[in-house]
Amino acid sequence: MQLRIYFNPAELTFIEPPEEDIYIVIDVMRATTTMTVMFEQGARQVLAAQTLEQALEAGRKVPGRILCGERHTQTPPGFDCGNSPAQFATMDLNNRELVLTTSNGTRALFACPEKSTRLAGCFYNGTAVTAKAIELAHEHQSNIAILCAAEYGYFALEDAACAGYLAQEILRQEPDIQIHDSTHGAITLYESYPPTILHEKAQSSLDLIATGQQKDLEYCLVRNKSVCVPMVTGIENATGLLQLVHPASQLIEI
Ligand SMILES: O=C(O)[C@H](CS(=O)(=O)O)OP(=O)(O)O
């Protein structure tokens, strides 16, 4: 079994990313942390959209769907909620369907090969998402890839550091996994920029603080508080949106 890390979705355009790999997609601030919290609060399904228009259309199609997302950290007009894990943590989402579109995270899910297995990873579900990726990689006899969503095409420190943290977790659980140069780099970044330092240094963190959304950092920069592992299970035919669920079978002890 091998582990590779991509620091930017653009890297996938220079290679032929294997469809059979298990992809852990990371957008620490905030999309993949937000998805994890949505399932913690009982969501039945999260539908990931690339554009505002797709999200609005998917929201209109089925009454009762909660339309969520952001552009430049703010809730778009006509949407019910933004992209704040702290906000979703206060909501009862039992059996609800949510449509989510964000600037980087939901798009990164679409950057993976079309039929690949995709998990949403973050600090918040670190142990759970890596355990699930290893389980699936054994089941499918495949490799694991970690994809950082990055920030509008640019390197994002918190995603790269989180990739290093997840890589450490994978190595702890699967010591014989073969690692690539990218893994050494990510682990070194995590050791230099743990969550306490990311809080002060990562630009996304500073942006959330500057816009009064610092409460989200209590979710984005905390390790292993959740056993929820959002997983892409397919595409909704009517809308083309990616369907994510958190199957009960994924519930594990951490
Ligand atoms: O909502 C977020 O935190 C970001 C928006 S921005 O990049 O900070 O403008 O979106 P995400 O897709 O979750 O990175």
Side-chain angles (χ1 to χ4, degrees):
M1 192 187 295
Q2 295 180 20
L3 169 64
R4 275 179 195 273
I5 295 172
Y6 304 103
F7 294 104
N8 193 313
E11 287 182 53
L12 297 183
T13 62
F14 293 107
I15 58 167
E16 272 184 37
E19 196 156 75
E20 64 279 8
D21 280 8
I22 309 300
Y23 290 81
I24 302 177
V25 176
I26 299 176
D27 187 351
V28 171
M29 294 180 204
R30 297 170 287 180
T32 54
T33 306
T34 295
M35 289 172 186
T36 304
V37 171
M38 286 170 168
F39 286 110
E40 268 191 320
Q41 296 304 109
R44 176 157 53 90
Q45 175 168 251
V46 176
L47 293 150
Q50 295 205 74
T51 66
L52 295 175
E53 294 69 31
Q54 285 172 336
L56 284 162
E57 195 195 329
R60 276 189 221 110
K61 269 200 160 67
V62 180
R65 280 183 172 171
I66 306 174
L67 194 49
C68 319
E70 58 67 45
R71 287 298 180 266
H72 300 287
T73 78
Q74 303 303 312
T75 307
F79 278 51
D80 304 308
C81 300
N83 181 31
S84 162
Q87 182 189 9
F88 292 111
T90 65
M91 295 169 68
D92 177 4
L93 300 177
N94 199 30
N95 215 24
R96 298 298 297 267
E97 282 195 329
L98 299 100
V99 177
L100 178 68
T101 179
T102 73
S103 304
N104 308 288
T106 51
R107 291 177 188 185
L109 288 168
F110 282 92
C112 298
E114 208 179 310
K115 292 189 180 138
S116 58
T117 301
R118 282 156 275 185
L119 308 175
C122 50
F123 284 116
Y124 198 61
N125 71 358
T127 300
V129 73
T130 50
K132 187 67 190 172
I134 292 168
E135 180 195 312
L136 290 168
H138 277 296
E139 202 177 302
H140 299 287
Q141 300 209 329
S142 56
N143 299 315
I144 299 175
I146 298 179
L147 174 65
C148 299
E151 185 84 354
Y152 301 102
Y154 292 99
F155 178 87
L157 184 56
E158 70 281 8
D159 291 345
C162 182
Y165 174 62
L166 299 192
Q168 273 191 347
E169 277 294 307
I170 289 170
L171 279 163
R172 183 177 66 75
Q173 298 168 46
E174 190 73 18
D176 291 335
I177 195 165
Q178 291 174 37
I179 59 172
H180 178 253
D181 280 5
S182 54
T183 306
H184 293 294
I187 289 174
T188 303
L189 276 169
Y190 171 64
E191 287 169 348
S192 301
Y193 294 94
T196 43
I197 307 287
L198 289 171
H199 190 281
E200 294 151 28
K201 297 281 183 202
Q203 189 57 52
S204 300
S205 171
L206 300 175
D207 291 345
L208 288 172
I209 294 167
T211 53
Q213 301 179 90
Q214 59 269 26
K215 188 105 185 99
D216 286 337
L217 299 176
E218 293 171 23
Y219 296 85
C220 298
L221 293 178
V222 72
R223 282 163 288 206
N224 297 325
K225 276 280 167 69
S226 179
V227 294
C228 287
V229 181
M231 179 162 85
V232 173
T233 53
I235 293 186
E236 188 180 58
N237 287 333
T239 59
L241 268 55
L242 292 176
Q243 299 165 305
L244 289 105
V245 299
H246 163 56
S249 59
Q250 289 177 221
L251 289 172
I252 55 167
E253 288 296 319
I254 59 172

